[in-house]
Each structure stands twice: as C-alpha cells, then as structure tokens.
Amino acid sequence: MSGKTETDKATEDQKDKAKKAFLEHYGLVRFIAFESAPQNDLLGDIVNDTFVYFVEHADRWEYDRDLRPLLKEVTRNIAMRHWREHVKHLPETLGEIAEILQRSTATTDEQTGTSDVSEELDAMKLCLAKLTAEQKKLIDAYYFGKVKLVVLAKESGIKEGTLRKMMYRIRAALRACIERVLKGRNVHVE
C-alpha cells in the first residue's frame, strides 16, 4: 500500500476525472479564453488557470452532467480576473479607454507585431463624437467622472436597470462603430 487513505484515493480519482473532462473540453475552454482574454498573450495563462482551478476543485463537480456551462463560467471568471489585473496596471486614462474598447478590436498587426493604438483611439474619438448629447453625458459621467450607475440613475430619474441597459447598448454601438471604422481603414479587427 502507498499509505494513502480511501479519502485520498477518492480525491485522486476525482482529480483524474477532472483532468480527463478538461481535456475533452479543451477546445471550448480555449475558445472562451480567446473570446474573453484582455490580451492575446494572456490566452495560455487563462487556460492554465482554468485547468488548475478545475482540478483543485475536482470534488465539487458532477461528472455525469454536461460540464460545458461550468467550464464556460469558470473560464470567463478567470478571464475577468485577468482583465481587472490588466486594467489596474494601466495609467488611469488608458484604463478608462480600455474599458470602453474592451474586446472591440485587436491591437496588434499580425505581420509587424506593432501596436495600432493610435488608429483605435482615432476611431474611438470619431465614434464618441457620433453619440447623442445624452449618451455622451452618460459616458463622460460613468467612465471619466467615475460616477456610479446608482448615482446616475437618481440624478437622471431613470431606473438603474434601464440605465444599465442603456450603457450596454451604448457600449455595443461604440464597439460596432469602432470595428466599422477600423475595417474601413484596413486595420485588423477580430
């Protein structure tokens, strides 16, 4: 005998099941990580962190059920943690801009490896100029004035949930506008 108790053996069996299940769904995890990563160079870190978390908590999972929703959730949460860490290390203004641009465009030219940040900033400025006065006011207050949604809701007389949906729609419109502008300039957009 190796000195392991029956409980240790079960834990090792669960870890083996977790490893096998993760490998079966590796493509899905990689896709979700790619979709959610703040930077392409963090893709491997997100996948690895998801693997480690999934195996460390192997005793929590029901392996006879579909694990895809669970793996999607874990991967997205880990990607968001990486996103928050990434934004923390940016200068304040760039961090705010990054929030607006999150996952809207690719910032690297694949052939030269150079950054297209100025192109993106120009596109963002152009798209911000197209917003209505009310939309600009919300964006300015929320991102640049750092006013919380609950405060904005009280000040504007709009329900918080409605305001949250408005902000979501504004961000989606900005992302779509930026993508259109960059595609028109032949800048690589994913």
Side-chain angles (χ1 to χ4, degrees):
M1 295 220 57
S2 64
K4 291 185 180 181
T5 65
E6 194 60 37
T7 307
D8 291 337
K9 176 93 171 99
T11 302
E12 288 301 315
D13 288 343
Q14 289 171 336
K15 286 182 179 181
D16 288 341
K17 283 182 182 178
K19 290 173 187 175
K20 183 179 178 189
F22 183 88
L23 290 174
E24 288 173 4
H25 296 92
Y26 176 79
L28 172 72
V29 171
R30 190 160 169 78
F31 174 77
I32 299 298
F34 177 77
E35 188 178 62
S36 306
Q39 289 180 291
N40 289 339
D41 61 336
L42 293 176
L43 180 66
D45 292 342
I46 293 168
V47 172
N48 290 338
D49 289 354
T50 302
F51 174 77
V52 169
Y53 181 88
F54 193 70
V55 172
E56 282 179 352
H57 298 90
D59 58 329
R60 295 182 181 179
W61 320 133
E62 295 179 31
Y63 299 100
D64 56 337
R65 294 185 138 188
D66 184 9
L67 294 173
R68 289 178 295 187
L70 171 68
L71 283 166
K72 285 179 184 178
E73 180 84 17
V74 169
T75 306
R76 284 190 180 116
N77 287 339
I78 289 172
M80 286 307 298
R81 188 179 71 221
H82 280 275
W83 175 254
R84 285 188 298 271
E85 278 300 310
H86 173 70
V87 171
K88 256 194 245 180
H89 299 293
L90 294 175
E92 188 175 333
T93 304
L94 286 178
E96 292 161 353
I97 291 170
E99 287 293 330
I100 295 169
L101 293 174
Q102 182 184 17
R103 292 188 310 154
S104 64
T105 61
T107 59
T108 303
D109 181 277
E110 291 175 342
Q111 293 173 339
T112 63
T114 60
S115 176
D116 289 324
V117 174
S118 63
E119 290 277 346
E120 290 179 2
L121 290 175
D122 290 344
M124 185 186 68
K125 288 176 187 174
L126 179 72
C127 293
L128 284 171
K130 293 180 180 182
L131 295 176
T132 66
E134 181 184 352
Q135 291 171 330
K136 286 179 190 174
K137 183 179 173 187
L138 285 173
I139 292 291
D140 286 340
Y142 186 72
Y143 287 105
F144 301 107
K146 296 191 181 207
V147 179
K148 296 192 181 287
L149 276 179
V150 68
V151 174
L152 285 173
K154 286 180 183 176
E155 288 176 357
S156 64
I158 300 173
K159 292 182 182 178
E160 187 179 352
T162 303
L163 191 61
R164 190 175 311 283
K165 287 178 186 175
M166 287 173 65
M167 292 297 289
Y168 173 81
R169 289 183 188 119
I170 293 168
R171 285 191 300 266
L174 281 171
R175 276 193 291 274
C177 176
I178 291 167
E179 287 176 4
R180 281 191 308 274
V181 169
L182 292 176
K183 281 182 182 177
R185 294 181 183 170
N186 293 321
V187 175
H188 177 70
V189 178
E190 290 182 12

